[in-house]
């Protein structure tokens, strides 16, 4: 008999343009391991509204992101792909989990602190409660693993604690999930300021991120302007944030070892390093951009894939939610 595959769940918000951090920290790993796992991937649009969104743009971005995930290689034959708001059990389970999660646990979340600092005059309670919705996303599918970038580790630890608490208080209900974080690419930094993670919400800064839909000219220009230092020494030195970040991006795309890369650039200057990285990134992203440009025109196909995805997701989610609801005594 064949061994049952472990199940992975992960999500991504339809806010801004998908960038190299999202790709190397999350999407590329989802795609590369599709055959190893039973995969469930979700466009988490209900998470997006924890920060005010223009409704029309949010709808457009939701379809754009779905098309981009397919363009990156998510294969609907191997993976379930759906939109979070089309499976209502996500928000329903989030309420049950909100009712068993202490405020103190949410208060510790660094992402809440970071994001609320960006807009201190209007901190919404949805932003504070967001980790409960993320716990619900993961626990609904009885997920074994959650492949994410380093920034999401704390939220997954919270989901684990919540699942353990629920199981302890109401009886065995949820699988305890584990984060799956890659060694390389788990934290890609901004090209303009390598002390801050590359982030969609900083996308208005001209040289902060490389979007997967950027043209070759834009990619080259942004790498040329990337912040480095005055040492002109090309080594994987974690203290020199800018050069380390560029070399990490190069390593993720080429899959070469650090030693081989350092040999390759021995005696070279930062100009050569930047143009070589730009070349590799441009060629790697070219088929993705081309496929995206086609898929985004195929609205009927996209809607069909997403409807099928929501249907299979619902089958699992309804079962888990009913069980949790009954265990808590809700009629
Ligand atoms: N810089 C990064 N390096 C590596 N991985 C990253 N991820 C995000 N930024 C980096 C990973 O991408 C996945 C999807 O992210 P998301 O859109 O759901 O959440 P996010 O962390 O809020 O993404 P951004 O780009 O940083 O957006 P904003 O600006 O809205 O905060 C996750 O697995 C995440 O770890």
């Amino acid at each position: 008999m064949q061994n049952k595959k472990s199940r992975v769940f992960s999500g991504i918000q339809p806010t801004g343009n998908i960038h190299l951090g999202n790709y190397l920290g999350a999407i590329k790993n989802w795609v590369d391991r599709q055959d190893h796992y039973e995969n469930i991937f979700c466009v988490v649009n209900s998470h997006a509204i924890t920060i005010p969104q223009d409704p029309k743009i949010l709808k457009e971005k939701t379809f754009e992101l779905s098309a981009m995930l397919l363009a990156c290689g998510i294969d609907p034959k191997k993976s379930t792909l759906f939109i979070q708001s089309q499976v209502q059990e996500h928000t329903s389970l989030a309420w049950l989990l909100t009712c068993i999660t202490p405020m103190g646990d949410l208060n510790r979340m660094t992402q809440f602190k970071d994001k609320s600092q960006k807009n201190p005059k209007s901190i919404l309670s949805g932003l504070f409660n967001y980790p409960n919705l993320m716990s619900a996303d993961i626990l609904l599918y009885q997920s074994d693993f959650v492949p994410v970038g380093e920034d999401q580790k704390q939220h997954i630890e919270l989901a684990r604690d919540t699942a353990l608490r629920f199981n302890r208080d109401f009886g065995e209900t949820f699988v305890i999930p584990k984060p799956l974080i890659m060694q390389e690419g788990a934290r890609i930094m901004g090209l303009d300021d390598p002390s801050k993670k590359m982030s969609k919400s900083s996308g208005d800064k001209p040289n902060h991120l490389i979007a997967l839909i950027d043209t070759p000219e834009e990619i080259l220009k942004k790498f040329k302007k990337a912040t480095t230092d005055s040492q002109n020494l090309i080594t994987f030195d974690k203290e020199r944030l800018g050069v380390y970040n560029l070399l990490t991006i190069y390593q993720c795309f080429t899959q070469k070892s650090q030693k081989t890369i350092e040999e390759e650039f021995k005696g070279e200057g930062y100009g050569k390093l930047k143009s070589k990285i730009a070349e590799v990134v441009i060629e790697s992203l070219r088929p993705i951009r081309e496929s995206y440009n086609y898929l985004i025109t195929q609205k009927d196909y996209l809607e069909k894939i997403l409807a099928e995805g929501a249907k299979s997701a619902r089958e699992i989610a309804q079962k888990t939610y009913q069980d949790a609801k009954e265990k808590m005594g809700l009629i």
Side-chain angles (χ1 to χ4, degrees), residues 10-13 15 18-19 21-26 30 44 111 115 118 130 147-152 185-189 197-202:
S10 202
I12 183 159
Q13 299 190 56
T15 47
I18 296 306
H19 52 71
N22 301 131
Y23 182 65
L24 299 176
W30 304 353
V44 288
Q111 200 180 71
K115 289 198 175 181
K118 283 187 186 165
Y130 151 102
V148 284
E150 182 71 42
D151 59 323
Q152 291 294 342
R187 194 169 175 83
I188 300 295
M189 310 309 278
K197 82 160 184 147
M198 190 177 281
S199 169
K200 293 188 227 107
S201 53
S202 301

Side-chain angles (χ1 to χ4, degrees), residues 20-21 24-25 110 114 148-152 181-190 194-198 244-245 248-249 252:
L20 277 190
L24 299 176
T110 51
D114 290 350
V148 284
E150 182 71 42
D151 59 323
Q152 291 294 342
I181 298 173
M182 292 295 113
Q183 256 185 335
E184 287 94 28
R187 194 169 175 83
I188 300 295
M189 310 309 278
S195 68
K196 303 222 163 64
K197 82 160 184 147
M198 190 177 281
Y244 186 81
N245 191 40
T248 301
I249 294 172
C252 287

